[in-house]
Amino acid sequence: MRTDYCGNINASHIGQEVTLCGWVNKRRDLGGVIFLDLRDREGIVQVVYDPDLEALFNVANSVRNEFCVQIKGLVRARPEGQINKDMRTGEIEILGKDLVILNKAAVLPLDWNQENSEEQRLKYRYLDLRRPLMSDRLKFRARVTSAVRNYLENDGFLDIETPILTKATPEGARDYLVPSRTHKGQFFALPQSPQLFKQLLMMSGMDRYYQIVKCFRDEDLRADRQPEFTQIDIETTFLDAEGVMNITEGMIRDLFMKMLNVDLGEFPRMTYADAMRRFGSDKPDLRNPLELVDVADILKDVEFKVFSGPANDEKGRVTVIRVPGGASLSRKQIDDYGKFVGIYGAKGLAWLKVNDKSAGMDGLQSPILKFLNETVVNELLARTQAETGDIILFGADNATVVSEAMGALRLKLGEDFDLLEGEWRPLWVVDFPMFEEVDGQLHALHHPFTAPRDMTPEELANDAANAISNAYDMVLNGVELGGGSVRIHDQAMQAEVFRLLGISDEEAEVKFGFLLEALKFGAPPHAGLAFGLDRLVMLMTGTTSIRDVMAFPKTTTAACPLTDAPGEANPQQLEELAIQSTVKNDE
């Protein structure tokens, strides 16, 4: 039906007749001459219809935006002065010789010239994706996946599929369950990741596996989360953490060079402890120069219990952020920041303005100044290196609350004060704790198949609280691109980890019996990493939501306006599955 794509026509085609298909992006009637901007996935080209051919001119006059048409015409150079340097096809135009309306378009429910609500965009996603901005993102995503495949396959990795219908295993979120018709009362689970299967593939001798794979998690959504998302999943045998990090860092650096002509350079390393201490986050945005500075030792003996309480509590934390030029903030602006940290559980936000450092205590301003003597204040100024015009913001509470609240505040201040430096700042975060304690119970910080670093099962049992996992996360601009670890390949170590996590032998056998059995038969050392493809493409295309780089995403309530999913099941289907709904009609 066509000889080429609209966006590929250029000066080399001048004098040739072409046949193109696409959608009318815009129609203009200028002094009796009709111009149609014809669009397909590769771009837009201008088609001109003269009134000399009356029947053809009348057809051109009848088309409207988004009509699907086929045109035939002669490629010619645009007249001098009418060249459009902003268009790939701006040097030429097509003199229309024929026009066939393949399908008319009704009045559009989306306005191309205005911002449409996301609900509308998702409901009419097939129209939204016609927009060059959206189609370009999907084309970019396709090139990313192609580049990833080429890189990994050239390095000896095999693309191997793993099951979608599988068994529920703990991965940190709720499973999506699929009822079985042939095994009534029993359920499959959609995989949160192919974690156990890729480990089994390593035990099968596949050596290097990868998969660009759908994963499913029933969790509360936000801009970088979806109920179904795509991972670049990687696993290797006989490689340690350093080997996996070298391969995957090389892949990401190669990808950025090929796709964006950006040299990311060598990725720095940072320990989890340093990241939390300096930035309050295990995925710090290094473009932001602000850092958290711990001051608990300075404030242990002050009268102000808001400070001295956490300063003397081993589970507490007192930290500050110095904001250059922040003394210009109004009281309302400071109160707004106080409300912001309240989202993360902070009870308030104390502050100290340095209006004139040379004036000593008289040059300072703060409602808490009466609780702080001159010695304490001077130590605070020295440690934070505060200067005239700065403000010091305090966080004091439980260590977790302080880290989350002040870490989030640091990011907000960096944006509000336009402090971000550089375009791309990657790093590796390493040396994560093996476990975290919640209500007296240990939980795996990554997942229960991550190996501890340099510990025997006996040593782990005796010092679990201080165990460091052999895990690593790749972070870019404050976004976790991917995480991985060296896996447990020893049955005794896996059993000990399960025990520490409160998983009984019986429960372990029910949930992971196949894995424990496989560990008996010469399981090799293995390690891997999984990248979030959606997040990676989101960052590379400069958008802020993974929904912008997915063809048919869900809303924040995990619904699909396009198909009205989820929907009610047919009663006969429910009966076949031995399922009865307990939801009342008014719910």
Side-chain angles (χ1 to χ4, degrees):
M1 292 185 70
R2 63 184 172 197
T3 59
D4 213 324
Y5 285 106
C6 299
N8 291 343
I9 306 300
N10 55 46
S12 68
H13 293 87
I14 291 174
Q16 298 179 22
E17 287 202 351
V18 295
T19 302
L20 305 176
C21 295
W23 289 267
V24 176
N25 195 66
K26 185 185 292 185
R27 171 192 164 280
R28 290 163 291 156
D29 185 347
L30 300 179
V33 176
I34 292 177
F35 293 87
L36 300 183
D37 287 347
L38 189 65
R39 184 194 73 243
D40 61 19
R41 93 172 186 198
E42 296 302 321
I44 297 174
V45 67
Q46 179 173 282
V47 187
V48 183
Y49 287 95
D50 289 330
D52 300 344
L53 301 173
E54 185 176 352
L56 180 59
F57 185 85
N58 290 337
V59 175
N61 192 42
S62 71
V63 304
R64 296 294 181 267
N65 287 2
E66 297 309 307
F67 274 34
C68 184
V69 301
Q70 179 193 57
I71 72 101
K72 294 181 181 179
L74 179 69
V75 180
R76 67 185 186 185
R78 289 200 189 192
E80 194 69 33
Q82 294 184 21
I83 293 175
N84 186 345
K85 295 182 179 180
D86 295 328
M87 290 178 63
R88 284 174 56 193
T89 61
E91 292 183 305
I92 57 90
E93 62 185 12
I94 298 174
L95 178 61
K97 299 294 186 180
D98 194 12
L99 174 61
V100 178
I101 297 176
L102 300 174
N103 215 333
K104 296 181 179 180
V107 176
L108 297 177
L110 298 182
D111 189 334
W112 256 230
N113 299 314
Q114 296 182 20
E115 287 293 324
N116 299 283
S117 71
E118 187 171 57
E119 187 81 10
Q120 283 291 98
R121 288 177 53 208
L122 294 182
K123 182 175 178 62
Y124 299 99
R125 190 63 160 181
Y126 44 87
L127 295 179
D128 187 45
L129 292 178
R130 290 184 190 175
R131 295 190 299 133
L133 175 66
M134 294 302 298
S135 63
D136 285 349
R137 286 171 179 161
L138 291 189
K139 286 159 57 181
F140 185 92
R141 178 182 176 128
R143 293 198 300 273
V144 166
T145 59
S146 178
V148 166
R149 290 185 188 280
N150 288 336
Y151 185 92
L152 292 174
E153 289 171 10
N154 287 337
D155 204 9
F157 284 82
L158 303 177
D159 181 1
I160 305 175
E161 294 181 351
T162 53
I164 294 298
L165 294 177
T166 184
K167 189 172 186 176
T169 56
E171 293 274 355
R174 297 182 190 89
D175 289 307
Y176 278 100
L177 298 179
V178 180
S180 170
R181 179 185 59 81
T182 53
H183 301 275
K184 287 183 168 51
Q186 296 182 308
F187 295 81
F188 294 104
L190 303 183
Q192 296 187 36
S193 81
Q195 181 63 46
L196 297 184
F197 285 105
K198 65 183 178 183
Q199 290 189 240
L200 292 173
L201 285 170
M202 297 303 98
M203 299 174 200
S204 306
M206 296 298 102
D207 194 65
R208 293 191 174 196
Y209 141 96
Y210 88 94
Q211 189 180 185
I212 297 178
V213 59
K214 280 287 187 184
C215 302
F216 307 86
R217 296 184 183 181
D218 186 6
E219 58 187 350
D220 295 333
L221 305 184
R222 57 192 186 202
D224 62 350
R225 281 184 180 172
Q226 278 280 293
E228 52 180 315
F229 57 96
T230 306
Q231 278 187 185
I232 305 169
D233 207 42
I234 297 169
E235 198 77 8
T236 67
T237 50
F238 308 118
L239 275 184
D240 57 12
E242 196 69 29
V244 173
M245 293 166 74
N246 286 340
I247 287 174
T248 52
E249 178 178 323
M251 183 186 79
I252 295 299
R253 290 176 60 181
D254 180 75
L255 190 63
F256 269 74
M257 181 57 71
K258 284 180 177 175
M259 302 297 297
L260 301 177
N261 197 30
V262 168
D263 183 0
L264 291 177
E266 291 190 13
F267 293 10
R269 309 282 176 93
M270 182 181 297
T271 66
Y272 171 87
D274 279 347
M276 296 304 293
R277 176 178 57 83
R278 295 171 58 190
F279 307 108
S281 170
D282 60 1
K283 48 181 187 293
D285 187 348
L286 298 186
R287 297 173 301 166
N288 185 338
L290 299 180
E291 293 195 19
L292 279 57
V293 179
D294 285 321
V295 293
D297 58 315
I298 298 174
L299 299 170
K300 279 186 174 182
D301 299 322
V302 300
E303 297 178 19
F304 195 39
K305 297 298 182 185
V306 171
F307 288 168
S308 60
N312 288 283
D313 184 348
E314 62 178 15
K315 294 185 177 181
R317 185 178 186 187
V318 185
T319 192
V320 299
I321 300 175
R322 174 182 71 89
V323 186
S328 61
L329 288 172
S330 68
R331 184 59 185 267
K332 181 183 182 306
Q333 288 173 309
I334 297 173
D335 289 344
D336 287 342
Y337 285 125
K339 293 175 183 176
F340 175 78
V341 296
I343 298 171
Y344 301 89
K347 299 180 181 68
L349 185 67
W351 53 274
L352 173 66
K353 286 186 177 183
V354 186
N355 294 324
D356 183 0
K357 188 177 180 180
S358 64
M361 295 290 281
D362 292 337
L364 306 177
Q365 178 187 353
S366 172
I368 62 167
L369 200 57
K370 58 188 175 183
F371 300 111
L372 309 178
N373 61 47
E374 189 168 357
T375 300
V376 167
V377 169
N378 286 337
E379 288 183 10
L380 286 171
L381 295 179
R383 184 167 298 181
T384 59
Q385 299 182 345
E387 299 293 341
T388 297
D390 296 348
I391 191 171
I392 299 172
L393 302 172
F394 294 78
D397 206 314
N398 170 278
T400 300
V401 170
V402 170
S403 295
E404 289 183 358
M406 298 300 280
L409 179 62
R410 169 184 172 269
L411 295 178
K412 183 168 179 55
L413 289 165
E415 292 180 0
D416 292 352
F417 281 79
D418 196 24
L419 298 176
L420 301 190
E421 302 169 347
E423 188 175 6
W424 303 106
R425 293 294 301 276
L427 80 154
W428 286 105
V429 179
V430 297
D431 293 353
F432 287 83
M434 185 79 177
F435 305 107
E436 59 181 343
E437 185 178 326
V438 180
D439 298 328
Q441 173 65 48
L442 292 181
H443 295 264
L445 198 67
H446 277 79
H447 54 62
F449 316 108
T450 295
R453 200 182 62 203
D454 302 327
M455 295 183 87
T456 65
E458 294 74 23
E459 289 169 335
L460 179 64
N462 293 328
D463 196 18
N466 294 312
I468 299 297
S469 68
N470 207 345
Y472 33 84
D473 281 1
M474 184 187 290
V475 177
L476 179 63
N477 292 1
V479 175
E480 180 191 329
L481 284 188
S485 66
V486 173
R487 321 304 188 186
I488 297 170
H489 70 282
D490 175 73
Q491 188 182 23
M493 179 64 80
Q494 187 66 77
E496 182 57 39
V497 169
F498 284 161
R499 187 189 69 78
L500 290 167
L501 294 174
I503 300 173
S504 67
D505 291 344
E506 293 76 15
E507 184 182 359
E509 184 62 34
V510 170
K511 291 183 175 179
F512 312 109
F514 60 95
L515 175 70
L516 297 173
E517 184 74 9
L519 290 173
K520 296 177 183 178
F521 301 107
H526 54 288
L529 186 146
F531 288 101
L533 174 64
D534 312 292
R535 289 183 183 180
L536 176 61
V537 178
M538 175 189 77
L539 282 178
M540 295 182 78
T541 56
T543 185
T544 57
S545 170
I546 62 173
R547 293 190 291 275
D548 289 337
V549 296
M550 303 173 80
F552 300 103
K554 306 293 188 293
T555 66
T556 53
T557 60
C560 176
L562 175 65
T563 61
D564 285 331
E568 294 182 0
N570 184 297
Q572 183 177 347
Q573 286 181 300
L574 292 180
E575 186 175 348
E576 290 174 347
L577 295 168
I579 290 177
Q580 184 174 4
S581 175
T582 61
V583 178
K584 298 177 182 178
N585 289 335
D586 57 356
E587 292 183 67

